């Protein structure tokens, strides 16, 4: 789906809706706490204070 000309908030809304639809269809996704930790470590990585975190792997969501 094209996102040319969309504002940042519109892109975020569309990507969030797409991710939710994918998660509902497949039953796999990321726990919010895992995402928070990932971005905390990524921030430290960009500051030169940590190794780059491993990519998050989707888990089966119940």
């Amino acid at each position: 789906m094209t996102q040319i000309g969309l504002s940042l908030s519109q892109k975020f809304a569309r990507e969030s809706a797409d991710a939710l639809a994918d998660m509902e269809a497949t039953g796999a996704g990321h726990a919010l706490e895992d995402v928070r930790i990932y971005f905390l470590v990524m921030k430290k990585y960009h500051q030169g204070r940590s190794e780059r975190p491993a990519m998050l792997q989707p888990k089966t969501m119940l």
Side-chain angles (χ1 to χ4, degrees), residues 29-49:
H30 305 291
L32 182 57
E33 189 61 23
D34 292 345
V35 174
R36 287 181 174 147
I37 291 169
Y38 175 83
F39 280 104
L40 177 65
V41 176
M42 185 59 85
K43 177 182 176 183
K44 290 180 183 179
Y45 167 73
H46 284 289
Q47 294 171 339
R49 299 177 19 213

